[in-house]
Amino acid sequence: MSAGILGMGKYVPDRVLTNFDLEKMMDTNDEWIRTRTGIEERRIADKETNSSDMAYAAAKKAIDHSGLTVSDIDMIIVATITPDRPFPSVACMIQNRLGAEKIPAMDISAACSGFIYGIVTAKQFIDTKAYQHILVVGVEKLSKITDWEDRSTAVLFGDGASAAVVGPVSEGKGILSFELGADGSGGQYLYQEGNYIKMNGREVFKFAVRKMGECAVDVVKKAGLKKKDIDFLIPHQANIRIMEASRERLEIPEDKMIKTVQKYGNTSSSSIPLALTDALEEGKIKDGDLVVLVGFGGGLTWGGLTMRWGK
Ligand code: UT7
């Protein structure tokens, strides 16, 4: 027995904000955004829709997709840096809305590495048999901490949620290896001050290119696998140039990297699970495929894992 993903679900707001829309709001242009980041459009939640609303919608879909019911869920972990409010946690809010009575619920904060931190945390409880089925959600309403007067960050981010049900799968399937890490000395490069995200783009870029490549290579090695065994790479969807650097490091062809940055922008802790859910919905990932997830984010944090898809 090992721990794997039993079901996935997503929610993205209907409202699409294109690069051309941004041209009308600030001194930027589609060409700059596309060539520097790969982003073409992003989803933006309306005023009334908060992180807990998106998390709840994604969670319900993930539970349905897993074939389980709410009463089978033993714990809820939500990765987010944009909770509705500092407390209660988004996890407690959706526990109540789901009607998942009395089970433990907590938020974790690891920025864009949050979903991987969440999945790896869930794995520990499942491996020790403390809990069987754990709901892990990555959700962000980044639009509420975006400074729409700062073109160097405003063009990058989007809103959305995606959820996974993690539970026991047969030997050889599920999570084969993982790595988590953090370097708090880099906190100065990406943080929230007052109401807004502040970022030193170049420093984050350098860190991301180095760390995503290293981490991806390390988790493949830890699983006793070779680069050629990888069927799909799902990197954090922040910037196509950073994603390409990790793909090249793993020496895998273009069509084996899942790419959603063009349509959702950077949705932080929601970015990796959104890409994974889309790849499943499109029928790309099949039973037995070896999937590598790798991310980096504010903290600075990073995380990666290898997973043999299937139950
Ligand atoms: O989840 C983690 C989140 N963070 C990241 O992933 C960020 C990582 N960093 C990056 O992705 C890149 O550093 C950026 C996309 C943010 C910026 O790309 P860059 O190639 O590092 O550009 P730059 O910051 O060096 O700026 C180049 C020029 C500057 O003009 P000057 O000084 O050369 O005249 C900027 O003022 O581009 C200008 N610029 C823009 N122009 C049009 C910055 N933002 C914009 C914009 N539209 N939105």
Side-chain angles (χ1 to χ4, degrees):
M1 204 272 307
S2 60
I5 292 180
L6 307 176
M8 298 280 316
K10 72 170 188 207
Y11 172 88
V12 288
D14 291 334
R15 185 179 160 214
V16 175
L17 185 71
T18 67
N19 292 348
F20 298 104
D21 295 328
L22 285 170
E23 283 182 3
K24 294 178 203 136
M25 295 163 61
M26 63 191 75
D27 180 18
T28 189
N29 58 80
D30 172 63
E31 214 256 327
W32 190 96
I33 303 170
R34 249 185 318 104
T35 53
R36 301 277 177 140
T37 72
I39 300 167
E40 292 165 23
E41 57 188 43
R42 70 286 290 143
R43 300 299 180 100
I44 303 291
D46 58 32
K47 244 186 156 170
E48 293 71 40
T49 305
N50 224 321
S51 289
S52 64
D53 302 304
M54 296 190 280
Y56 171 67
K60 275 210 328 191
K61 286 193 190 146
I63 295 168
D64 281 351
H65 185 230
S66 71
L68 300 171
T69 62
V70 169
S71 61
D72 296 312
I73 304 297
D74 303 309
M75 184 183 197
I76 300 175
I77 298 172
V78 174
T80 187
I81 52 166
T82 50
D84 298 28
R85 48 178 67 84
F87 70 93
S89 63
V90 172
C92 283
M93 294 174 84
I94 67 167
Q95 184 234 41
N96 182 42
R97 276 176 79 173
L98 287 167
E101 284 176 31
K102 306 287 190 289
I103 62 169
M106 65 173 176
D107 286 3
I108 57 173
S109 170
C112 310
S113 315
F115 182 74
I116 293 180
Y117 268 66
I119 293 282
V120 171
T121 303
K123 172 180 159 51
Q124 311 312 312
F125 287 108
I126 292 162
D127 286 351
T128 57
K129 299 195 167 56
Y131 300 121
Q132 226 190 343
H133 301 119
I134 302 182
L135 178 68
V136 179
V137 186
V139 61
E140 302 296 356
K141 188 178 179 183
L142 291 168
S143 59
K144 74 175 178 184
I145 58 165
T146 297
D147 180 355
W148 295 101
E149 314 249 292
D150 174 11
R151 67 175 182 172
S152 69
T153 54
V155 302
L156 304 176
F157 301 107
D159 300 335
S162 188
V165 175
V166 185
V169 293
S170 49
E171 198 60 48
K173 298 267 176 80
I175 298 154
L176 307 175
S177 64
F178 70 85
E179 181 180 311
L180 300 177
D183 177 2
S185 72
Q188 57 185 310
Y189 300 133
L190 182 53
Y191 58 96
Q192 184 179 338
E193 183 155 275
N195 294 326
Y196 297 130
I197 299 169
K198 306 275 181 204
M199 184 175 75
N200 180 331
R202 279 191 196 170
E203 286 301 328
V204 177
F205 191 94
K206 281 192 281 181
F207 161 76
V209 165
R210 180 172 53 82
K211 210 64 216 177
M212 287 242 288
E214 276 173 19
C215 184
V217 168
D218 285 352
V219 289
V220 172
K221 232 187 249 168
K222 271 189 191 171
L225 295 161
K226 299 258 174 328
K227 290 174 180 173
K228 65 173 172 43
D229 299 324
I230 302 167
D231 293 300
F232 289 101
L233 167 67
I234 309 186
H236 169 43
Q237 312 278 315
N239 181 316
I240 191 65
R241 292 183 291 149
I242 300 172
M243 293 161 61
E244 281 296 331
S246 60
R247 183 180 69 75
E248 281 161 20
R249 191 77 190 267
L250 286 178
E251 297 163 20
I252 61 171
E254 246 175 80
D255 60 330
K256 294 201 164 185
M257 181 173 78
I258 305 296
K259 188 167 84 82
T260 56
V261 67
Q262 72 284 2
K263 54 179 176 173
Y264 301 137
N266 180 351
T267 59
S268 191
S269 62
S270 180
S271 111
I272 292 173
L274 266 182
L276 175 56
T277 307
D278 271 15
L280 291 168
E281 286 175 357
E282 288 162 18
K284 285 185 183 156
I285 297 175
K286 303 209 167 53
D287 199 66
D289 279 348
L290 182 78
V291 184
V292 176
L293 310 185
V294 64
F296 69 94
L300 298 166
T301 57
W302 62 92
L305 60 84
T306 62
M307 183 170 52
R308 179 80 59 198
W309 192 258
K311 301 185 186 178

